[in-house]
């Protein structure tokens, strides 16, 4: 390529980079490309685990009345299969690809926060280990991946499997939220000159939108699992109807996360398809603006459709109808994407590479899965077929036929960039056809099983007419699918040993990652080509016929966000959603139900005084910042100490309040008031504590003279957090002490 | 009991009929859309394949008219679906404030049925009169279950602390298989039930018989079983009307012998199957709450003959 230096293709992916070699260089790496590969390898490992779990289940279901597995073993398997595939396979695979390619596609040197990036990754194996540690501690969770309460509560699930499930999801959530913050800050702050938002490659664009979904959806899951954990560990009853709790609130909270999660698992795959189809049809994407804007529409709508998972709960017909309408509306922007991809094919010059074959199969299978999804939005149909194998077929068409096929398309497309070597096209085609045949055999027949009355999550079934045959077909399909994965492994192994050297741009693609060497140097680019449109490498290769600037994103924006501020704002937004969920729970349990004794012991005046201290600490911090700005180092230190002291007083006050309530006999498990009170104020107190530790660190740096040079961003960033914690307290104080539980 | 296909399209009630009609219509529309997309894709693949030496095609970046068309047309189809949805909901499950004709209470892993008008109580085999639309109240004793009879009615979750209602009706006499559709723990897979639709006179006769205590005049063997039943912990969980057995945690056995099946419709109610069950329930249906009492063969046969006398 012009404007770049080409490196000789390397033999081994693991020796590709000069920066460091050996095992520990991978453990300690902060390079986004290595972290991306770590994500992909870890996800691939768990793909094997989750896939084997699926195969064991299919063996059990191959014939009627099979007794190979005990009911509990089967229930553990499907719980682990779902949890593994969602949290340890699909999400990390897509995050891994985003990690590797988003910085390259926008012409950046690395992610915005490389060390945070490494931390995010290490939460993945940690979370995976936590989840699987349950096997040594009395058995894996066996309540399904959405852990419906009260089945997931201690009386019905006494073994600690669910507790490990909660801890694992919490750890994985921390990793996902920090990666998302990182990706948003990367896209907003680190784009190369000329790479305007409207010129972002669609993969980067969809990852960007997806990151917002993640930081807003995961707090709902975190709130729900923290409440379940309090129920299980502190004997509260948030979700135990026998003690006044609500089984339905769990479902609302879970699906507030769970439905955006479905799009979280599919939007980046949409992004991959939007890269692969144009390159192999040799045409720019048809309707870039519509593909991009429909992503935003899907993201927004995805927060308004959660209760379509709950049509059979009996929420009432007005509620059902509202969610039917929103669920149907989300099909419109999804359809727009399908039509634009199909139109990109039309009039192209189509190269049916393995990558393209997977993309085309994605189009058809995802359309089928999307349309069966529409049938679920027609509520009476949902009433008949939800919780049957028709549903199992539907979401596997979306997640395997969609997401996984997208990932495979991306893998064949980008593997040469990551390793410097092409995957074999002939083995690739064997892999493709085995995958298509195995997948459709395994899952298409499941539609019929569902319509014939077979419910999901059954470890055995009676010998009804047709059931045994269709299940056997499905099992055979699953094994063909398993075989296809072995072919993929073989293909990768062959390629790594003696694959054809790829060169920088084997597909004549147009986005910036192909301007780097294959694999890219640790610093990514020696020199970037000029970016005047959406397809910089097309413009470079066709100076006589470049994309018109208007048709490809208009004039570049020169302004770039500040990465620290952006990152902190995203974190605060995510935290705000978390506290909103907690407050919704507090209001739900205290404003609409019978009075819970204990609230009368709260003392608004006394707590008001401590509240004043906390608010005053915001003021003192603001003064500290001002003094720092005026280069008055002593003044800065004094105000900082005052902030620390006031924050400390607030925590002491909260401790005293807890102690008094404790002496009066109030515990987290006493009633719903005490549980929600201790939860909301306690989690806020924990945030204050984190803030105080952070302040101490700032103080330490200040005493060491760190901010004298005028580099004060870290203090400012800390300030956003501290003020946020105070604002949260104003809301909490108003809700709990001023308005109070209605009694 | 399971010879007929239990499919959602073999509907035998007006409510289920509404849904299967709606389902078929929506499936046809969806199939047409899928075919259009597939035709676009396959004709592209057929017509626009790369030819060796061929040049890249002229770039086309989009077309507003097309974009509008494929936004607006699906939108209109979905609006149409939405009106069908509203209509279908009303027809298949109209809201009602009236008192339920039948109360179904779900347990891990069996179904209790109470008839408020007659005070009759039974388990797992729910009799209804043919051609009469009944409102069923659904309540759960423990976790969330789901009441589903594919051929008769839409499914409805049975949620603790959240009573639900559902219309149930059968056009023809017969057995309709139902099952729990929401995962509810270890034996979710074997939590079936039967809806037994009978002509009104037959149904009335059934109610009348169920309302009475079981017939007296036991044979000697049956009496032995009866004494065993009353002296063991059976009575802590099971009820037999007219005897001291008043347990509420497990199925009422007053007219056990009149039922076609045992174990929540997993085995035909024959003395052999019942003996197998009593010998070790955990071997027949693992993880259920009834423990293995390690009964001797003599005890099993006594209990079997007693229970099979409870007509």
């Amino acid at each position: 390529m012009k404007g770049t230096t080409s490196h000789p293709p390397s033999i081994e992916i693991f020796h590709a980079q000069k920066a460091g070699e050996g095992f520990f260089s991978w453990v300690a790496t902060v390079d986004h490309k290595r972290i991306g590969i770590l994500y992909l390898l870890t996800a691939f490992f768990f793909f094997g685990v989750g896939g084997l779990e699926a195969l064991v289940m299919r063996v059990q279901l191959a014939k009627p009345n099979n007794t190979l597995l005990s009911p509990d073993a089967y229930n553990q398997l499907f719980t682990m299969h779902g949890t593994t595939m969602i949290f340890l396979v699909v999400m990390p695979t897509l995050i891994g690809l985003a990690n590797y390619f988003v910085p390259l596609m926008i012409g950046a040197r690395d992610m915005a926060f490389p060390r945070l990036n490494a931390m995010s990754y290490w939460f993945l194996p940690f979370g995976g280990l936590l989840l699987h540690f349950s096997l040594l501690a009395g058995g894996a969770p066996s309540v399904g991946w959405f852990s419906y309460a009260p089945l997931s509560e201690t009386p019905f699930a006494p073994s600690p499997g669910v507790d490990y499930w909660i801890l694992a999801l919490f750890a994985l959530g921390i990793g996902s939220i920090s990666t998302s913050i990182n990706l948003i800050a990367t896209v907003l702050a680190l784009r190369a000159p000329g790479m305007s938002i409207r010129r972002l490659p669609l993969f980067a664009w969809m990852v960007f939108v997806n990151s917002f979904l993640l930081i807003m959806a995961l707090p709902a899951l975190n709130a729900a699992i923290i409440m379940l954990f309090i129920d299980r560990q502190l004997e509260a009853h948030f979700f135990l109807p026998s003690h006044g709790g609500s089984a339905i609130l769990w479902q609302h909270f879970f699906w507030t996360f769970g439905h955006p999660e479905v799009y979280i698992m599919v939007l980046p795959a949409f992004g991959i398809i939007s890269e692969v189809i144009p390159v192999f049809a040799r045409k720019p994407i048809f309707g870039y603006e519509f593909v991009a804007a429909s992503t935003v529409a899907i993201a927004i709508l995805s927060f308004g459709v959660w209760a379509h998972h709950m049509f059979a709960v009996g929420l009432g017909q007005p509620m059902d109808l509202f969610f039917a309408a929103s669920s149907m509306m989300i099909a419109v922007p999804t359809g727009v994407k399908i039509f634009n991809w199909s139109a990109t094919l039309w009039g192209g010059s189509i190269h049916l590479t393995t990558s393209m074959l997977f993309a085309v199969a994605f189009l058809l299978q995802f359309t089928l899965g999307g349309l069966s999804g529409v049938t679920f939005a027609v509520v009476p149909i949902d009433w008949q077929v939800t919780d049957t194998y028709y549903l199992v077929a539907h979401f596997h068409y979306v997640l395997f036929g969609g997401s996984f096929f997208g990932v495979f398309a991306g893998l064949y497309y980008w593997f040469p960039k990551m390793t410097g070597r092409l995957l074999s096209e002939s083995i690739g085609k064997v892999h493709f056809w085995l995958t298509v045949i195995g997948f459709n055999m395994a899952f298409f027949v499941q539609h019929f099983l569902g319509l014939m009355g077979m419910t999901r999550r059954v470890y055995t079934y009676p010998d009804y007419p047709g059931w045994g045959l269709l299940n056997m077909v499905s099992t055979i399909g699953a094994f063909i699918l398993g075989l296809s994965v072995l072919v993929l492994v073989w293909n990768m192994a062959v390629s790594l040993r003696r694959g054809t050297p790829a060169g920088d741009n084997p597909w004549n693609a147009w986005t910036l990652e192909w301007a780097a060497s294959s694999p890219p140097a640790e610093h990514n680019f020696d020199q970037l080509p000029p970016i005047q449109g959406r397809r910089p490498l097309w413009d470079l290769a066709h100076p006589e016929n470049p994309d018109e600037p208007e048709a490809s994103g208009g004039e570049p924006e020169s302004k770039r966000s500040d990465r620290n501020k952006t990152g902190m704002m995203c974190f605060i937004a995510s935290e705000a959603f978390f506290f909103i969920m907690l407050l919704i729970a507090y209001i739900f349990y205290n404003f609409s139900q019978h009075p819970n004794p204990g609230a009368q012991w709260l003392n608004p005046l006394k707590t008001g005084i401590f509240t004043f201290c906390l608010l005053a600490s915001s003021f003192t911090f603001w003064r500290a910042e001002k003094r720092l700005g005026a280069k008055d180092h002593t003044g800065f230190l004094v105000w900082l100490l005052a902030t620390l002291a006031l924050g400390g007083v607030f925590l002491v006050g909260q401790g005293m309040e807890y102690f008094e309530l404790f002496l009066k006999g109030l515990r987290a498990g006493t009633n719903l008031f005490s549980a929600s009170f201790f939860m909301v104020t306690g989690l806020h107190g924990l945030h204050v504590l984190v803030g105080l530790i952070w302040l101490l660190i700032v103080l330490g740096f200040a005493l060491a003279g760190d901010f004298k040079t005028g580099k004060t961003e870290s203090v400012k960033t800390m300030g956003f957090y501290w003020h946020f914690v105070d604002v949260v307290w104003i809301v909490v104080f108003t809700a709990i002490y001023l308005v109070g539980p209605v009694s | 009991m399971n010879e007929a296909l239990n499919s959602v399209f073999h509907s035998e009630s007006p409510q289920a009929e509404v849904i299967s009609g709606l389902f078929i219509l929506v499936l046809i529309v969806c199939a047409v859309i899928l075919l259009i997309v597939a035709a676009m894709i396959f004709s592209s693949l057929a017509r626009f394949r790369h030819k060796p030496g061929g040049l890249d095609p002229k770039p086309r970046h989009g077309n507003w008219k097309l974009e509008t068309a494929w936004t607006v047309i699906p939108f209109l189809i979905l609006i149409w679906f939405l009106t069908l949805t509203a209509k279908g909901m009303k027809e298949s499950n109209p809201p009602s404030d009236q008192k339920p004709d039948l109360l179904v209470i779900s347990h891990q892993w069996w179904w209790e049925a109470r008839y408020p008008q007659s005070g009759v109580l039974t388990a797992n085999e729910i009799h209804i009169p043919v051609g009469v639309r009944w409102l069923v109240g659904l309540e759960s004793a423990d976790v969330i279950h789901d009441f589903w009879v594919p051929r008769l009615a839409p499914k409805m979750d049975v949620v603790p602390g959240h009573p639900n209602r559902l219309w149930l009706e059968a056009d023809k006499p017969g057995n309709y298989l139902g099952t729990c559709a929401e995962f509810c723990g270890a034996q979710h897979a074997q939590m079936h039930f039967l809806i037994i639709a009978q002509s009104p006179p037959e149904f009335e006769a059934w109610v009348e018989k169920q309302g009475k205590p079981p017939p007296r005049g036991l044979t000697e063997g049956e009496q032995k079983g009866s004494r065993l039943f009353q002296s063991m912990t059976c009575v802590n969980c099971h009820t037999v009307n007219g005897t001291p057995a008043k347990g509420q945690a497990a199925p009422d056995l007053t007219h056990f012998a009149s039922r076609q099946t045992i174990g929540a419709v997993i085995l035909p109610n024959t003395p052999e199957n019942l003996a197998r069950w009593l010998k070790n329930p955990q071997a027949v249906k693992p993880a259920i709450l009834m423990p293995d009492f390690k009964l001797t063969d003599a005890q099993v046969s006594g209990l079997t003959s007693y229970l099979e006398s409870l007509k």
Side-chain angles (χ1 to χ4, degrees):
Chain A
M1 265 348 297
K2 265 185 272 175
T4 62
T5 55
S6 52
H7 295 242
S10 7
I11 310 295
E12 261 278 357
I13 176 176
F14 298 108
H15 300 153
Q17 286 133 333
K18 296 266 181 287
E21 294 186 7
F23 179 71
F24 285 103
S25 72
W26 281 84
V27 174
T29 188
V30 293
D31 176 8
H32 73 100
K33 297 180 292 297
R34 284 184 162 204
I35 291 173
I37 288 172
L38 286 174
Y39 264 114
L40 293 173
L41 290 175
T42 314
F44 196 71
F45 168 75
F46 283 118
F47 181 54
V49 174
L52 286 175
E53 286 161 354
L55 289 182
V56 178
M57 285 193 284
R58 280 317 318 171
V59 172
Q60 164 72 8
L61 294 179
K63 62 185 179 89
N65 299 314
N66 200 353
T67 51
L68 175 73
L69 294 177
S70 73
D72 197 50
Y74 185 88
N75 297 343
Q76 292 183 28
L77 277 172
F78 76 69
T79 303
M80 292 297 272
H81 169 75
T83 307
T84 300
M85 286 299 188
I86 289 165
F87 293 99
L88 301 175
V89 180
V90 179
M91 287 173 77
T93 301
L94 298 170
I95 285 174
L97 288 172
N99 239 296
Y100 200 106
F101 288 103
V102 167
L104 283 167
M105 288 177 131
I106 64 172
R109 162 75 178 74
D110 203 312
M111 295 278 275
F113 309 107
R115 276 173 288 193
L116 178 70
N117 201 21
M119 184 200 84
S120 308
Y121 165 71
W122 286 103
F123 268 103
L124 171 64
F126 178 55
L129 281 177
L130 269 177
L131 181 65
H132 288 87
F133 188 77
S134 62
L135 291 167
L136 305 176
S142 59
V143 294
W145 84 273
F146 42 71
S147 279
Y148 268 6
L151 184 64
S152 53
E153 294 276 7
T154 315
F156 305 104
S159 86
V162 178
D163 301 297
Y164 282 102
W165 178 86
I166 291 171
L167 293 173
L169 259 54
F170 198 73
L172 294 167
I174 294 172
S176 301
I177 289 177
S178 34
T179 295
S180 306
I181 291 170
N182 214 338
L183 284 163
I184 293 171
T186 304
V187 170
L188 287 180
L190 300 188
R191 277 168 290 131
M195 179 58 77
S196 66
I197 281 280
R198 293 187 58 210
R199 286 176 179 168
L200 273 187
L202 283 166
F203 177 71
W205 177 250
M206 296 202 196
V207 166
F208 177 60
V209 173
N210 197 42
S211 302
F212 283 99
L213 272 186
L214 272 161
I215 63 170
M216 294 193 282
L218 280 168
L221 175 68
N222 287 343
I225 59 181
I226 284 175
M227 288 166 75
L228 184 60
F229 203 62
I230 292 173
D231 273 4
R232 292 179 59 90
Q233 297 294 327
L234 303 177
E235 290 163 7
H237 318 109
F238 284 123
F239 305 122
L240 264 179
S242 52
H243 293 70
S246 167
I248 296 181
L249 192 73
W250 168 267
Q251 299 192 14
H252 280 299
F253 272 40
F254 190 89
W255 293 117
T256 297
F257 149 77
H259 203 82
E261 172 70 11
V262 172
Y263 290 94
I264 286 165
M265 288 189 282
V266 87
L267 282 183
F270 285 174
I272 296 169
I273 297 301
S274 307
E275 299 298 328
V276 166
I277 288 185
V279 166
F280 294 112
R282 309 307 304 154
K283 275 176 67 198
I285 185 87
F286 193 88
Y288 174 98
E289 287 83 358
F290 288 88
V291 177
S294 61
T295 309
V296 179
I298 289 172
I300 293 169
L301 285 169
S302 74
F303 281 96
V305 298
W306 77 88
H308 72 212
H309 296 267
M310 302 163 65
F311 284 151
V313 169
L315 299 175
Q317 301 207 346
M319 189 97 143
D320 287 352
L321 200 59
F322 171 83
F323 283 98
S326 61
S327 307
M328 285 178 185
M329 287 313 103
I330 207 166
V332 175
T334 313
V336 165
K337 282 184 155 51
I338 303 272
F339 290 121
N340 277 299
W341 291 323
S342 308
T344 306
L345 291 175
W346 189 263
S349 170
I350 296 169
H351 296 248
L352 274 185
T353 57
T354 309
S355 173
M356 185 63 154
L357 285 171
F358 274 109
V360 170
F362 165 97
L363 276 186
L364 293 164
Q365 288 164 180
F366 185 80
T367 305
L368 199 157
L371 287 167
S372 67
V374 169
T375 64
F376 282 102
V378 179
V379 181
I381 299 177
D382 177 277
W383 284 339
Q384 273 290 23
V385 291
T386 189
D387 284 325
T388 69
Y389 263 84
Y390 183 85
L391 179 78
V392 177
H394 157 69
F395 68 70
H396 281 96
Y397 265 80
V398 174
L399 289 178
F400 202 112
S403 295
F404 270 106
F405 272 69
V407 166
F408 288 142
L411 186 66
Y412 279 86
Y413 180 62
W414 279 322
F415 189 86
K417 178 52 63 184
M418 293 190 273
T419 66
R421 292 180 179 271
L422 293 164
L423 285 168
S424 151
E425 281 293 311
S426 46
I427 306 175
K429 275 168 190 152
V430 175
H431 171 221
F432 169 75
W433 284 111
L434 283 176
T435 314
V436 168
I437 293 167
F439 165 76
N440 284 290
M441 239 178 112
F443 294 108
F444 194 75
V445 292
Q446 294 186 356
H447 290 108
F448 300 113
L449 280 169
L451 299 175
M452 286 156 72
M454 182 165 169
T455 49
R456 70 192 290 206
R457 298 178 163 179
V458 290
Y459 77 97
T460 187
Y461 56 90
D463 191 8
Y464 295 150
W467 285 30
L469 175 70
L470 291 177
N471 271 298
M472 182 54 92
V473 170
S474 180
T475 298
I476 294 170
F479 274 87
I480 296 176
L481 206 49
L483 181 66
S484 79
V485 176
L486 295 182
V487 174
L488 173 64
V489 173
W490 178 40
N491 198 354
M492 291 196 287
V494 167
S495 167
L496 288 175
R497 279 179 163 272
R498 49 184 157 83
T500 318
D504 290 352
N505 190 359
W507 316 118
N508 279 318
W510 304 304
T511 40
L512 284 180
E513 75 270 32
W514 303 103
S517 58
S518 302
E522 198 195 8
H523 57 279
N524 288 354
F525 301 97
D526 290 333
Q527 190 190 341
L528 276 171
I531 304 164
Q532 280 150 356
R534 284 181 190 137
R535 300 193 296 165
L537 303 195
W538 166 275
D539 296 344
L540 200 65
H542 301 85
E544 75 295 344
N545 182 25
D547 287 347
E548 289 169 38
E550 301 85 66
S552 59
E555 288 300 306
E557 300 151 18
S558 57
K559 61 172 193 289
R560 296 286 183 268
S561 315
D562 171 71
R563 72 175 94 169
N564 291 322
K565 194 175 161 189
T566 309
M568 183 45 75
M569 285 304 169
C570 291
F571 177 62
I572 286 176
S574 187
E575 289 276 70
F577 276 98
F578 176 64
F579 276 105
I580 288 172
M581 297 308 288
L582 294 183
L583 280 166
I584 288 173
Y586 182 84
I587 290 167
F588 176 83
Y589 288 116
N590 293 285
F591 284 38
S592 62
Q593 303 204 341
H594 49 85
N596 292 304
Q600 76 278 8
W601 293 325
L602 297 183
N603 186 339
L605 189 66
K606 210 164 163 188
T607 310
I609 295 168
F610 292 111
T611 302
F612 179 77
C613 291
L614 188 65
L615 298 184
S617 77
S618 252
F619 172 77
T620 54
F621 193 90
W622 174 70
R623 291 303 307 160
E625 272 186 88
K626 283 279 167 210
R627 296 324 302 157
L628 188 63
K631 302 221 186 290
D632 172 5
H633 203 67
T634 318
F636 168 62
L637 280 175
V638 169
W639 285 112
L640 198 60
L641 278 169
T643 312
L644 261 165
L646 286 165
V649 168
F650 173 81
L651 272 192
V652 170
Q654 194 172 33
M656 282 160 52
E657 183 187 31
Y658 274 28
F659 189 63
E660 280 168 31
L661 292 173
F662 192 77
L663 286 183
K664 286 182 170 135
L666 206 63
R667 306 283 187 277
T670 305
N671 57 36
L672 290 167
F673 161 74
S674 64
S676 51
F677 168 80
F678 284 122
M679 175 177 72
V680 175
T681 56
L683 284 168
H684 176 267
L686 195 65
H687 279 73
V688 176
L689 185 66
V690 169
L692 285 179
I693 292 168
W694 198 345
L695 279 170
L696 277 172
I697 294 169
V698 170
L699 183 72
F701 281 119
L703 288 174
D706 229 48
F707 305 114
K708 283 181 179 161
T709 50
K711 286 193 78 178
T712 59
E713 292 95 342
S714 53
V715 178
K716 252 188 206 141
T717 313
M718 201 277 136
F720 290 128
Y721 176 81
W722 190 251
H723 297 312
F724 165 72
V725 171
D726 290 1
V727 170
V728 170
W729 182 252
I730 295 176
V731 182
V732 170
F733 182 71
T734 310
I736 296 184
Y737 293 87
L738 300 183
V739 183
V742 180
S743 48
Chain B
M1 63 196 173
N2 314 313
E3 53 289 344
L5 206 55
N6 201 30
S7 123
V8 298
F9 295 117
H10 290 64
S11 36
E12 294 287 359
S13 79
Q15 294 87 292
E17 189 66 41
V18 166
I19 300 179
S20 76
L22 179 63
F23 200 174
I24 288 167
L25 175 67
V26 170
L27 278 181
I28 291 171
V29 176
C30 288
V32 169
I33 297 171
L34 181 65
L35 283 178
I36 292 172
V37 172
M40 268 169 71
I41 291 168
F42 282 116
S43 63
S44 293
L45 293 186
R47 285 181 56 186
F48 304 112
R49 287 289 278 281
H50 170 75
K51 291 172 193 74
L55 291 174
D56 279 1
K58 206 171 140 274
R60 277 179 60 102
H61 291 275
N63 179 322
W64 278 83
K65 278 184 197 156
L66 272 174
E67 299 284 355
T68 315
W70 62 49
T71 307
V72 172
I73 295 171
F75 181 80
L76 293 176
I77 294 175
L78 288 165
I79 294 287
W80 176 46
F81 277 4
L82 191 62
T83 60
L84 292 176
T85 303
K87 198 164 147 258
M89 282 164 76
K90 234 185 213 132
E91 286 170 5
S92 63
N93 197 11
S96 163
D97 288 331
Q98 81 186 59
K99 273 204 155 134
D101 304 289
L102 170 69
L103 189 61
V104 173
I105 300 155
S106 59
H107 300 257
Q108 278 182 327
W109 295 278
W110 59 282
W111 303 85
E112 176 184 344
R114 291 169 179 267
Y115 295 75
Q117 279 164 353
S118 56
V120 162
L121 195 154
T122 185
N124 298 328
E125 295 181 9
I126 303 169
H127 291 242
I128 61 169
V130 156
V132 184
R133 202 165 70 156
W134 266 17
L135 191 63
V136 183
L138 297 167
E139 290 173 22
S140 173
D142 38 50
V143 301
I144 301 177
H145 302 269
D146 186 289
F147 181 89
W148 189 37
V149 197
R151 295 163 68 197
L152 297 187
K155 68 169 67 66
M156 180 65 92
D157 284 356
V158 190
V159 186
H162 178 87
N164 272 329
R165 305 250 163 117
L166 182 72
W167 292 105
L168 193 64
E169 179 177 1
D171 292 337
K172 286 188 225 145
N175 285 356
Y176 300 92
L177 192 73
T179 193
C180 175
E182 184 66 79
F183 180 66
C184 57
Q187 273 298 351
H188 163 63
Q190 306 206 66
M191 187 174 162
H192 309 303
F193 58 96
L194 280 181
I195 297 294
I196 301 174
Q198 295 171 302
S199 67
E202 276 178 60
F203 173 73
E204 287 308 324
W206 177 81
V207 167
E208 166 126 22
K209 201 169 154 230
Q210 296 286 311
K212 292 184 191 148
R216 301 191 175 259
L218 301 176
T219 66
E220 196 181 329
E222 290 163 2
Q223 266 172 5
K224 240 190 199 162
S226 166
R227 280 196 297 276
L228 199 55
F229 186 87
Q230 300 297 343
S231 64
M232 292 182 62
T233 47
C234 308
V235 296
N236 292 349
C237 297
H238 293 282
T239 293
V240 177
N241 281 343
T243 78
K246 296 268 182 275
Q248 300 279 318
D252 183 296
L253 300 176
T254 307
H255 294 283
F256 171 79
S258 72
R259 295 189 199 138
Q260 303 170 20
T261 62
I262 61 172
V265 195
I266 61 173
L267 290 172
N269 187 358
T270 62
E272 296 73 41
N273 283 332
L274 182 59
R276 232 181 95 202
W277 178 280
L278 290 171
K279 188 74 194 157
N280 183 3
Q282 295 294 330
V284 184
K285 193 172 173 183
I288 56 162
L289 300 181
M290 179 165 170
D292 174 10
F293 289 102
K294 311 225 182 302
L295 301 174
T296 63
D297 287 341
Q299 288 172 319
V300 166
S301 98
L303 280 174
T304 304
S305 52
Y306 169 60
L307 290 172
E308 294 297 356
S309 79
L310 300 174
K311 301 262 186 228

